[in-house]
Amino acid sequence: MSMTRRGALLFGGAGLATGVQGIQGAYASSGNSGIETSYATSLAGNSPGANFIVVTDDPYNAVPYPRGSSAGSSSTAKIQAAVDLAAANYAAGTGPTRVFIPEGEYTLATTTKTTSVMRIGFVASHPSGGNYFSLTSTACLQLPAGVSLHGAGVGKTILHRYTTGPSAIIETIDYENASITDMSLIGGGTTSNTHGIFMSLSSPAPHAHKNIWLERLEIANVGLYGIGHQYGSPDNLYYQDLWIHDTGDDGIDHKPRNGTTDYNNNGAKGAFFNNIMVERHGRNFGDASGLDIRGRAQLNNISVVDFGRPGTRTFGITMSSGISNVQDKRPSTARSTLDNFYIEGNPLYDCSGLQAQTCGPQNINNGYIRWCTTNGFWVRDSLGSPTQSWRNGPTVSNITVEGSRGGSAFRVDQPKSALSNLKAVSDIQTFDATRGNLVAGQTAFTLWNPMDTTTANRVVQKNDVALVPGQSYTTSGNTLTLTAPVAAGDRVEVINKSIHGCIVAVTDVNLNGYMPDAWAGGVEAGPTALGRLTQSGVAITKQVLTYSRSGETAASAQMRTVLRNLGLITDSTVP
């Protein structure tokens, strides 16, 4: 894809009209005319003209239906026919290869087009022995190489799959030199067996996903991945300006694999993630991540919020380890960068903010993690059995973790990791007149974040003086009730401590600058790690256990033994 064509896709929706003049000037100066300028000018009027195949024109005649209505007949075959013409034009090197879907909501159903796609699975009944096998795509729309799909803007052009059968709203097959932009893709529910966009291949032969832009998209209400990149090596693959919400599994599952090649070492340019918001992922599956990344990638301005549900752990961002299996080769995120991110879980559930999982050297900087009560930031050893070993861990700087409660704000399990400028902040809810949530005579306060159920892990104070539970205050659900009314100038604070500040469980870790607040834990390290740990300005402490073991459960005894053997506690318990 040429640089000038890329430029034409930078503007859309309300921002398009202001960008047209700049686009036209750029194309004129580079000797181009026609396609890109026509695209920018005509989209401002929602009528792209001769350089696009328009799905509402003859002979396709796709019909949008009233929003929220599933009564209309499916537009799948009509839009697919336009896509097929664009694919033929791309193969012939002549004619338009861009398909435009005007404003409106279009009902989609499973396609009747039969196209074989490759999958990797581990099912013994498959002739391949559980590795590569073929099946017929059940996606609503199938996009081959060279075909771009454009709408009139997020919330304007809506492709809606109401049914819940196995499918993807859009499946790309051997995709390259194309883009999907400016539309909303809505599925049939977070328990449906549907992806938003699924990127696959027609065969296990190595393939590079070259020059692809997924931009200005909303993807919502799907039961599987918002975007699933399962096969092929990314080479200039851009995820930009995306809003992904209410997914059953990962918001984005970026899993490069093409059978034989580790593209981290073959010169491919990798994947780029910019300006992405993921909300409420993992509504149907455990261990889901807002973004689960493998392979070399550059990520910037990422937000993952409002995740977690009862009975299962959910992750904000996962920088994943690699797998060396030749039939299912997946590179780790070695040599990647993650910069400017915000992660916010739900303090009621089992949430982890960011995990870097035996993934090799990479840079992770400038992030804020809130309400992830299992681990805020975890430099992980892939459960002790890495599939690809690395001599160096990540370089991490300028990270704040707030409200990790009984979990760890930071945990380091990978040697040769370097961390600096880390901060652990307890979860503090403040009530005073300047915030407008306290008045003279008030005794009851509604908490937006429930208090820790363990009394020792929380503090309630008035004007910096700790109150006595059961005497000075009581709690019921999300309500705090003081025994004595407050005065107009009082300040009441409810503090859920961050118990474990920074756990360093391995040797060869450089920790330079860790600051806990008054209620967060310090650095905890085993005796072996202590001897080789570089730590500036903070005492290294371990929790001391002094209780009687007479009433200890088997599970508690097992956990105590593990922590003692790791050197993370001093075991002074008595029989």
Side-chain angles (χ1 to χ4, degrees):
M1 178 175 287
S2 68
M3 183 177 297
T4 53
R5 182 178 296 182
R6 168 74 186 106
L9 303 180
L10 283 173
F11 300 92
L16 179 61
T18 59
V20 170
Q21 184 176 1
I23 295 174
Q24 290 172 335
Y27 297 139
S29 64
S30 59
N32 288 274
S33 63
I35 293 179
E36 293 85 355
T37 304
S38 174
Y39 173 68
T41 305
S42 58
L43 270 191
N46 201 26
S47 177
N51 296 304
F52 287 77
I53 301 169
V54 182
V55 302
T56 52
D57 289 351
D58 286 332
Y60 315 106
N61 299 316
V63 178
Y65 287 88
R67 295 192 175 178
S69 170
S70 59
S73 61
S74 170
S75 294
T76 296
K78 298 173 181 179
I79 298 175
Q80 187 66 51
V83 168
D84 291 346
L85 175 60
N89 290 342
Y90 180 76
T94 181
T97 60
R98 298 178 181 181
V99 175
F100 178 65
I101 306 176
E103 182 172 353
E105 182 170 339
Y106 301 80
T107 300
L108 297 182
T110 299
T111 184
T112 57
K113 182 180 176 68
T114 57
T115 303
S116 293
V117 290
M118 183 267 292
R119 294 288 188 268
I120 293 178
F122 299 94
V123 181
S125 60
H126 287 297
S128 61
N131 291 312
Y132 295 119
F133 61 95
S134 294
L135 52 77
T136 299
S137 171
T138 57
C140 299
L141 299 175
Q142 300 173 10
L143 261 63
V147 177
S148 294
L149 197 63
H150 305 295
V154 168
K156 293 182 177 181
T157 296
I158 302 171
L159 304 184
H160 200 150
R161 176 181 172 84
Y162 286 92
T163 55
T164 60
S167 183
I169 298 174
I170 297 174
E171 181 165 7
T172 67
I173 303 170
D174 301 335
Y175 207 48
E176 62 184 12
N177 299 329
S179 58
I180 306 171
T181 75
D182 301 292
M183 65 183 69
S184 296
L185 307 178
I186 311 298
T190 57
T191 60
S192 65
N193 195 11
T194 302
H195 301 284
I197 297 174
F198 193 82
M199 306 184 72
S200 65
L201 304 179
S202 60
S203 75
H207 175 81
H209 277 128
K210 293 182 179 179
N211 305 326
I212 298 171
W213 286 268
L214 308 178
E215 294 185 301
R216 298 181 301 277
L217 298 172
E218 175 193 9
I219 301 174
N221 215 33
V222 295
L224 299 174
Y225 301 140
I227 299 176
H229 179 284
Q230 297 289 290
Y231 310 97
S233 298
D235 189 354
N236 269 357
L237 170 57
Y238 289 85
Y239 302 82
Q240 297 192 153
D241 301 321
L242 305 179
W243 177 30
I244 300 172
H245 60 94
D246 300 288
T247 65
D249 208 329
D250 298 342
I252 297 177
D253 183 79
H254 179 77
K255 190 182 290 145
R257 54 187 176 191
N258 63 346
T260 58
T261 303
D262 180 355
Y263 83 91
N264 269 6
N265 295 315
N266 71 3
K269 298 178 180 64
F272 303 86
F273 300 76
N274 299 295
N275 304 327
I276 296 172
M277 166 71 83
V278 177
E279 300 181 85
R280 297 179 298 280
H281 67 277
R283 311 309 293 171
N284 196 36
F285 291 92
D287 291 329
S289 297
L291 288 86
D292 190 347
I293 307 299
R294 280 189 167 91
R296 189 177 70 252
Q298 296 179 30
L299 301 93
N300 190 48
N301 296 334
I302 310 295
S303 292
V304 181
V305 301
D306 195 15
F307 61 92
R309 63 186 181 90
T312 186
R313 179 176 298 182
T314 314
F315 298 90
I317 298 174
T318 298
M319 307 294 280
S320 281
S321 58
I323 294 178
S324 298
N325 186 312
V326 173
Q327 288 288 340
D328 188 13
K329 191 175 183 66
R330 310 179 193 179
S332 79
T333 51
R335 308 178 187 93
S336 294
T337 62
L338 169 60
D339 201 21
N340 300 324
F341 61 90
Y342 180 81
I343 300 172
E344 182 178 296
N346 187 318
L348 296 178
Y349 305 127
D350 186 355
C351 299
S352 285
L354 191 154
Q355 58 172 342
Q357 194 178 47
T358 317
C359 45
Q362 59 192 273
N363 286 358
I364 301 174
N365 307 298
N366 304 319
Y368 200 102
I369 302 170
R370 189 184 192 201
W371 291 346
C372 294
T373 56
T374 302
N375 292 286
F377 188 109
W378 189 4
V379 181
R380 193 175 180 183
D381 68 347
S382 193
L383 304 179
S385 56
T387 53
Q388 288 183 351
S389 60
W390 293 92
R391 292 184 181 274
N392 291 283
T395 300
V396 178
S397 66
N398 302 326
I399 310 295
T400 297
V401 175
E402 175 186 352
S404 57
R405 296 201 175 194
S408 57
F410 300 91
R411 181 181 177 95
V412 185
D413 289 334
Q414 186 174 2
K416 297 294 184 181
S417 298
L419 303 93
S420 62
N421 297 332
L422 309 181
K423 189 171 185 178
V425 179
S426 297
D427 175 26
I428 303 174
Q429 300 174 69
T430 303
F431 301 87
D432 58 25
T434 60
R435 288 173 170 80
N437 56 7
L438 179 149
V439 296
Q442 185 174 349
T443 58
F445 299 86
T446 300
L447 307 177
W448 57 89
N449 187 359
M451 286 199 295
D452 197 299
T453 56
T454 303
T455 302
N457 293 350
R458 68 184 191 229
V459 175
V460 177
Q461 62 183 29
K462 183 171 73 174
N463 302 330
D464 297 326
V465 177
L467 302 181
V468 180
Q471 299 179 19
S472 304
Y473 71 90
T474 59
T475 61
S476 178
N478 282 14
T479 301
L480 167 72
T481 303
L482 303 184
T483 304
V486 298
D490 286 342
R491 182 179 72 253
V492 176
E493 293 173 300
V494 178
I495 302 158
N496 294 302
K497 301 178 183 178
S498 293
I499 302 301
H500 300 287
C502 185
I503 296 175
V504 179
V506 292
T507 61
D508 288 336
V509 172
N510 186 312
L511 179 59
N512 185 6
Y514 165 71
M515 177 179 288
D517 70 7
W519 301 277
V523 176
E524 303 173 33
T528 303
L530 179 61
R532 303 181 68 181
L533 179 70
T534 303
Q535 165 64 21
S536 299
V538 178
I540 298 174
T541 61
K542 293 188 292 182
Q543 186 176 3
V544 180
L545 301 184
T546 58
Y547 59 81
S548 170
R549 299 194 298 272
S550 58
E552 188 177 44
T553 65
S556 295
Q558 183 181 22
M559 179 60 70
R560 174 176 52 79
T561 302
V562 170
L563 294 174
R564 182 190 64 210
N565 292 341
L566 287 172
L568 300 177
I569 63 169
T570 298
D571 187 357
S572 297
T573 57
V574 295

